Amino acid sequence: MNTATIQYLESYLTPRRQQLFKEVLAERTRFLTVAIEDVGHLHNTSAVMRSCDAFGVQDVHVIEELKGKRIDREIAMGAQKWTTVHRYDSTKNALAQLKQNGYRIVATTPHHTAHKLEDFKLNQPTALFFGSEKDGLTETVIEAADDYVYIPTFGFTQSLNISVCAAILLQELTQRMRNSALDWDLKESDILEIKELWLKRNLKDYDALLNQYKTQE
């Protein structure tokens, strides 16, 4: 969708919503992304999506190899209203796509030689992989990972709930990213793509307005 079409559709938003879009997009990133591998409890998937939105991470990659397509209801409920969800039917396909897009694959796991969060270096586009609540990440991810990271704990509990883990990692890493000289902000093409997505989800008469614009051209 071109800039003129986006501007036409934006004119149907309130000035406050237009300004909010602008402010949020200025903090949005695709430098960091999140991949969720066969998470069983859907409320955790929703919570991770909300954390991505809260900390400005646009893309969430959901792998549904073992448990099938179970996030449809969450999507219908708007859990990913502000994020871009990419869905895969296999872990290998997700890994291949992310690597092709230039991402460093980082497995979040307390059970592997890994960097503590405080020692982890964020210096290139990174995809953080989170596994299921019971079994963690599969060996496919562990073997394919370029690096590993974990959050140190000091109690009897050695691992954190996936949604808690994701929130801690994203808060820390996005803060570091924004305080760095890294080229983390969105390209103009990304901004147009995301605006189109948000407009489609926010304008009740999106299709009618789009057709109306096309007839005026």
Side-chain angles (χ1 to χ4, degrees):
M1 185 175 289
N2 60 37
T3 304
T5 308
I6 293 289
Q7 289 175 343
Y8 173 80
L9 293 170
E10 278 187 302
S11 70
Y12 287 90
L13 297 174
T14 65
R16 182 180 179 280
R17 181 53 63 95
Q18 291 181 43
Q19 181 61 28
L20 189 57
F21 273 26
K22 182 178 180 180
E23 291 172 1
V24 172
L25 282 166
E27 297 294 339
R28 224 45 166 193
T29 191
R30 281 181 156 160
F31 188 88
L32 267 175
T33 193
V34 164
I36 309 169
E37 188 185 36
D38 284 310
V39 173
H41 299 298
L42 293 182
H43 65 269
N44 282 330
T45 303
S46 299
V48 173
M49 289 177 179
R50 286 194 297 273
S51 291
C52 285
D53 173 47
F55 296 114
V57 173
Q58 181 61 31
D59 297 288
V60 183
H61 302 263
V62 179
I63 302 163
E64 304 166 296
E65 182 169 357
L66 299 178
K67 296 182 172 65
K69 294 183 177 182
R70 303 184 66 226
I71 67 165
D72 290 320
R73 180 169 174 271
E74 300 302 295
I75 288 177
M77 292 174 66
Q80 49 51 280
K81 184 175 181 179
W82 303 108
T83 57
T84 302
V85 177
H86 308 265
R87 302 171 73 174
Y88 306 86
D89 59 7
S90 81
T91 297
K92 287 184 178 179
N93 287 344
L95 288 165
Q97 186 63 59
L98 285 162
K99 287 193 173 189
Q100 183 179 322
N101 291 344
Y103 284 100
R104 169 192 184 198
I105 306 300
V106 176
T108 61
T109 171
H111 306 300
H112 195 285
T113 301
H115 290 111
K116 293 180 182 179
L117 176 55
E118 62 204 70
D119 300 325
F120 180 76
K121 287 184 170 56
L122 181 66
N123 51 21
Q124 66 186 87
T126 295
L128 296 169
F129 270 73
F130 297 91
S132 69
E133 298 85 351
K134 181 180 178 182
D135 302 316
L137 290 166
T138 62
E139 283 301 311
T140 302
V141 175
I142 297 298
E143 292 174 6
D146 302 303
D147 210 341
Y148 309 87
V149 66
Y150 73 98
I151 300 167
T153 57
F154 305 97
F156 294 103
T157 301
Q158 295 185 350
S159 62
L160 298 168
N161 175 278
I162 175 180
S163 61
V164 174
C165 183
I168 292 171
L169 283 165
L170 290 176
Q171 193 280 331
E172 170 66 22
L173 295 178
T174 55
Q175 182 178 43
R176 277 194 222 167
M177 178 192 73
R178 291 188 174 91
N179 291 333
S180 74
L182 294 167
D183 184 18
W184 59 266
D185 50 351
L186 296 174
K187 299 176 182 177
E188 185 60 34
S189 58
D190 293 320
I191 291 173
L192 290 176
E193 175 195 323
I194 295 166
K195 275 188 178 181
E196 180 181 354
L197 180 72
W198 291 355
L199 287 164
K200 182 177 282 189
R201 292 173 180 169
N202 279 269
L203 289 173
K204 184 178 179 180
D205 300 320
Y206 175 85
D207 290 330
L209 291 171
L210 186 58
N211 288 332
Q212 179 178 302
Y213 176 76
K214 289 178 179 177
T215 60
Q216 295 175 0
E217 287 184 302

